[in-house]
Amino acid sequence: MKIELFEMERMQSTWENVVDIDLSESGVRAVTLRELAALGFDLDGALDTPLSYSQGNGTIELRQLLGRHYPGATPDHVEVTNGTSEANFIIALTFEQAVNERTRLLYLSNPNNPTGRILSSDDMERIVRRCEETETWLVADEVYQGAELNGRQTPSFWGISDRVVVTNGLSKAYGIPGIRIGWIVGPPALVQECWTQHDYTTICPNKLSDALARVAVGNREKLFARTRAILREQLPLVRDWITTFDGLLELREPDAGAFCLINYKSDLPSHELAERIRINQSTLIVPGSQLRLENCFRLWFGAPPEKLREGLRRIGTELRNVL
Ligand SMILES: Cc1ncc(COP(=O)(O)O)c(C=O)c1O
């Protein structure tokens, strides 16, 4: 089977630790272990934890905590995975196995990456009804839920229909990508099938990560508040910077997430622009082309503010040379 190169991911893994300033990310600057200890994680207890395998589908305690955020969901509706990406992957594998000529799968992310936009409840309803009519499974990736600029939590697709499966994780709105925890919420029979796939992919989530995730999910509102405060503080830096370009740049205002799309008025292909910025300014952005868009780039504004300011200055220098 030929697997298409995930260009953006490869570009990020190649350069993000090499450049001076990485503004290609999508979550907020990450929470530290110390911050999680302040929220109740037992650091000292962790020193004595045997580093054995953890419960394959996530500890019951973690699945219970997660289930509370999805009305009607029990631990049997939840499968804990190594990141949202494994959650999405396992679902794709599970459906592939069960596939017949009538099986279809629609994947969407809401809030959306890369636009940062949130669907209206009417749009959500329409999408779900269309999935029901066509017997399509809807996989709703809600990893940016909780990272809304206006502070109003994006409603979940969970519960709108039996054909909905939700994926989510700690990487974005919780600000904890490094411990690699994600989850699937779906009908128990489907979740069982996902567990079967999970036995082959990675067996189980990391044991310490499961413990950290219990603290994170138990303190969800505090972590979401931290994220939203960072977003609200830092998006204005981008807005102000854009006004210095006399209309050459246009911000596509995000509703959620720590990234935004910026359109530019020039025929210069976005991958050339991003390469110039990387080579001449040691700063990484995502070219629109890697998102199947043109005349735009995606910018991360969730970085530490001094990095963001310096990154904007460097991108600005290059933009003024080429636009
Ligand atoms: C919509 C979406 N889903 C999943 C992921 C990956 O999440 P995780 O780090 O939890 O695997 C990303 C990362 O950028 C994303 O934007």
Side-chain angles (χ1 to χ4, degrees), residues 6 8-9 12 24-27 81-88 107-114 141-144 167-172 176-178 180-183 259 298:
F6 191 165
M8 183 187 74
E9 200 60 44
Q12 289 178 308
S24 75
E25 283 293 326
S26 51
T81 57
N82 289 279
T84 320
S85 37
E86 192 188 38
N88 291 334
Y107 165 90
L108 57 80
S109 67
N110 186 49
N112 181 259
N113 180 4
D141 178 332
E142 299 179 347
V143 75
Y144 295 99
T167 58
N168 203 331
L170 297 183
S171 297
K172 311 296 175 183
I176 317 176
R180 312 302 305 129
I181 287 285
W183 55 88
F259 51 84
R298 196 188 75 183

Side-chain angles (χ1 to χ4, degrees), residues 121-140:
S121 39
D122 280 356
D123 286 341
M124 287 170 69
E125 277 287 332
R126 271 197 305 137
I127 292 167
V128 170
R129 295 306 153 225
R130 189 69 189 135
C131 284
E132 285 178 334
E133 282 161 20
T134 54
E135 298 186 27
T136 300
W137 281 93
L138 175 64
V139 179

